[in-house]
Amino acid sequence: MFPYRRRQMVQGSIFPSQPALDILGTNGYQVLTIDNEQKHSRDMQGCYSWIVVLGSHVCCLFVYGWYQAIGPLFVAIQHYFEETSARTSWILAVFLSLEFGIGPVSNVCVKKFGFRVTVMIGTVMSSIGFFISAFATRIEFLYFSIGILAGIGYGLILPPHIGIISLYINKHFALANSLAMSGSAIGIFVFPPLMQYLIDSYGWRGAVIIFSGINAHMGISAALYRTPASLRLERSHDVKQENKSEVQHSNICRDQCEIWDFSLFRQNPLLSTFTLANLFGIGVGYQSLPAHLLARADTKSLGSQNQLAFLISFLGLSSLVGRWVPPLIGCISKNRITSNTLFGLSLLLTGIMSMLSSLATTYATYAVFACFVGFLSGLCFVVENNALKEIAGPENLTASLGFAVLAMSIGGIIGPPTAGYIYDVTGDYNNSFYFYGAFLMLGGLIAILPEAYLAKRKNASTDMKGDHNSQEMADVDAYVSRSCYVNAATQTGKEER
């Protein structure tokens, strides 16, 4: 929200385990220290913390739910313009690359303008993008309206709608994160039949106009994103006028270095591998899978359009169940299983299911496949935020999430067009799903193996340290024993003399 500089740990830090933040804006605003009653926990914000979680839940319903529920609109646009799967997939590719690609830019906007303004700007842009899509006469216009405008709008909303939760809630963050992220599962469940109904009733043009109005309701959520009470801002009148320009200049220079906080990768080696896992696993392997899941069922004539739309609803309902699993696993395992491990396992299992999807040849078996994919993806998206919080720390959640979604965007450019091209060349979506499965499994292995290696090295280092300490204690005991023996012998000699 404002440029900041790190200072030494002092009493009153917001994050007790991290260096305190000394925030000084270019307009002379600064963050004061926190009262004793507030400094130990961000959970002391009361009921309003959970109102913020509700706002994030609504944003998540659109930001994560819409692109996974685009299947009916994807099929309608492809049939209307009589385009190939690869060319139609570029709408989703451009949308995903920008939604997940401007995460660092969103982080900059949050620092400059705050959470509320950033999310409102994103809401307005995305609603305009959906509205003007109704006037498209060529598919290239949809690359701009849905792909660019709506993609940038959703990209501005994506990091702050989760990052703000970490400023309000610390102790129960896993629960709050599951509550917020369950919004996307509800979106996946609700949007496909709703979109299919709107398309059947008003055509795809009328459907996107109505959806633009529904999308605008995220502005209500944005209005809830006020600055936490523990971060009270006060105008600094003590800065002398002659030193003001110098202070501003130093803050601007420091801000340019820290706003793109690449030092996070140097401080947290696992953040690099986690970002790569997002690139290959989610970016290339998963993002367009739900859209092609419906297109694949359509090519195989597994049911009517309304029946096929409910396949994505099954995916969304099972995703909702999967999003509540991480808190239960944490309680049962007493947090012995890290969120990064769960993230990698969910990607790996989703990849295996994608590889086996060719066995689903009826509507019932295909629905079971959609449920498994939904459950695992729900688990994956929830533990992703938990893992970033564990790896980078709560105060760096927005910035690290920005880099993670940037990696997803790069994968989003590669995944949808490549899978669509594979179908256009081979005429079989099974090959596209083999492509998805390979990259999902690759992402899972990239997430799991480095953490296992570092844990093994840590245990080996601990054992060596323990052995070294044991040897030192043995040497000390031997030295003490020798000293006692020599002293006793000396004393005996003296008595004999």
Side-chain angles (χ1 to χ4, degrees):
M1 197 176 302
F2 295 97
Y4 63 87
R5 62 174 180 270
R6 293 192 180 276
R7 58 186 171 95
Q8 297 297 321
M9 171 63 74
V10 295
Q11 188 175 11
S13 170
I14 302 171
F15 308 104
S17 62
Q18 299 290 339
L21 297 180
D22 182 20
I23 304 177
L24 181 62
T26 57
N27 294 324
Y29 288 93
Q30 66 180 7
V31 171
L32 302 181
T33 55
I34 303 171
D35 297 337
N36 290 332
E37 295 180 356
Q38 296 174 329
K39 66 182 181 180
H40 295 296
S41 175
R42 281 156 285 162
D43 296 312
M44 302 302 293
Q45 300 295 331
C47 295
Y48 195 80
S49 300
W50 299 100
I51 294 176
V52 171
V53 173
L54 177 62
S56 295
H57 174 90
V58 174
C59 288
C60 206
L61 185 143
F62 291 93
V63 171
Y64 282 112
W66 184 82
Y67 78 84
Q68 298 183 72
I70 195 178
L73 185 62
F74 181 92
V75 173
I77 290 174
Q78 183 177 0
H79 289 169
Y80 181 86
F81 289 103
E82 298 180 349
E83 291 287 354
T84 64
S85 178
R87 281 178 58 83
T88 309
S89 296
W90 272 108
I91 300 173
L92 188 59
V94 175
F95 174 86
L96 291 174
S97 64
L98 289 173
E99 178 184 7
F100 294 103
I102 65 170
V105 177
S106 177
N107 186 39
V108 172
C109 293
V110 168
K111 290 177 183 293
K112 292 295 185 182
F113 309 115
F115 290 90
R116 179 180 293 173
V117 174
T118 302
V119 175
M120 282 188 173
I121 293 173
T123 301
V124 172
M125 288 189 65
S126 57
S127 295
I128 293 174
F130 288 123
F131 182 81
I132 65 175
S133 298
F135 306 98
T137 56
R138 300 179 61 183
I139 197 169
E140 288 80 6
F141 184 81
L142 297 178
Y143 297 163
F144 167 75
S145 59
I146 295 179
I148 296 178
L149 279 182
I152 292 176
Y154 277 17
L156 291 175
I157 299 170
L158 183 58
H161 89 280
I162 292 297
I164 194 171
I165 298 177
S166 64
L167 296 181
Y168 276 91
I169 296 175
N170 184 30
K171 182 179 179 181
H172 302 291
F173 178 81
L175 175 61
N177 182 49
S178 293
L179 280 169
M181 292 298 291
S182 63
S184 64
I186 295 176
I188 300 171
F189 178 74
V190 172
F191 285 153
L194 174 62
M195 189 66 69
Q196 188 63 54
Y197 171 78
L198 294 176
I199 292 172
D200 293 340
S201 301
Y202 308 103
W204 72 267
R205 298 181 187 274
V208 292
I209 290 177
I210 295 173
F211 184 79
S212 68
I214 300 173
N215 182 81
H217 285 76
M218 279 193 292
I220 300 174
S221 299
L224 301 175
Y225 293 164
R226 72 184 188 191
T227 304
S230 60
L231 298 178
R232 303 190 317 271
L233 298 177
E234 183 175 284
R235 181 74 176 176
S236 176
H237 298 289
D238 299 331
V239 181
K240 295 182 179 180
Q241 189 66 28
E242 57 270 23
N243 295 330
K244 192 172 183 180
S245 61
E246 181 180 351
V247 173
Q248 289 177 351
H249 177 72
S250 62
N251 284 334
I252 291 172
C253 293
R254 182 171 55 252
D255 186 47
Q256 294 302 318
C257 295
E258 295 193 1
I259 224 164
W260 303 88
D261 200 357
F262 293 104
S263 62
L264 290 174
F265 294 100
R266 185 173 64 253
Q267 298 167 2
N268 306 283
L270 280 178
L271 185 59
S272 301
T273 57
F274 187 86
T275 305
L276 284 176
N278 275 273
L279 169 64
F280 294 115
I282 297 181
V284 179
Y286 179 77
Q287 285 184 346
S288 60
L289 187 150
H292 285 157
L293 184 145
L294 190 61
R296 178 189 185 190
D298 183 52
T299 59
K300 292 183 178 296
S301 302
L302 296 181
S304 65
Q305 291 298 321
N306 289 328
Q307 288 178 317
L308 297 184
F310 274 103
L311 286 173
I312 306 298
S313 296
F314 295 150
L315 185 146
L317 187 61
S318 57
S319 178
L320 180 62
V321 177
R323 290 167 198 272
W324 286 102
V325 170
L328 296 177
I329 293 177
C331 293
I332 294 172
S333 67
K334 297 181 180 179
N335 296 320
R336 286 191 294 265
I337 301 177
T338 66
S339 297
N340 186 66
T341 300
L342 285 176
F343 176 77
L345 286 174
S346 61
L347 287 178
L348 190 63
L349 292 175
T350 307
I352 294 173
M353 289 302 302
S354 182
M355 289 287 191
L356 298 176
S357 63
S358 59
L359 300 177
T361 56
T362 64
Y363 183 84
T365 56
Y366 207 67
V368 173
F369 164 67
C371 289
F372 272 107
V373 171
F375 176 82
L376 294 170
S377 65
L379 174 65
C380 173
F381 281 114
V382 168
V383 297
E384 177 188 19
N385 298 328
N386 294 341
L388 282 173
K389 181 175 177 286
E390 292 174 2
I391 293 171
E395 76 284 2
N396 294 319
L397 179 58
T398 303
S400 58
L401 185 59
F403 286 118
V405 296
L406 174 61
M408 293 183 207
S409 76
I410 298 173
I413 299 175
I414 301 171
T418 305
Y421 177 76
I422 291 173
Y423 168 73
D424 291 335
V425 172
T426 63
D428 190 353
Y429 268 116
N430 285 340
N431 297 316
S432 299
F433 276 72
Y434 296 150
F435 167 80
Y436 288 138
F439 277 92
L440 281 162
M441 295 171 67
L442 176 62
L445 293 175
I446 291 175
I448 294 172
L449 294 181
E451 184 182 38
Y453 173 73
L454 291 176
K456 184 177 180 180
R457 285 191 59 183
K458 183 179 179 181
N459 292 334
S461 176
T462 303
D463 293 340
M464 290 178 62
K465 186 177 179 180
D467 294 341
H468 181 68
N469 291 338
S470 299
Q471 184 62 39
E472 285 185 347
M473 291 301 297
D475 293 341
V476 170
D477 290 340
Y479 174 76
V480 172
S481 299
R482 277 198 312 272
S483 298
C484 293
Y485 175 79
V486 171
N487 290 336
T490 304
Q491 185 67 27
T492 302
K494 287 180 179 181
E495 292 177 354
E496 291 176 352
R497 287 195 297 269

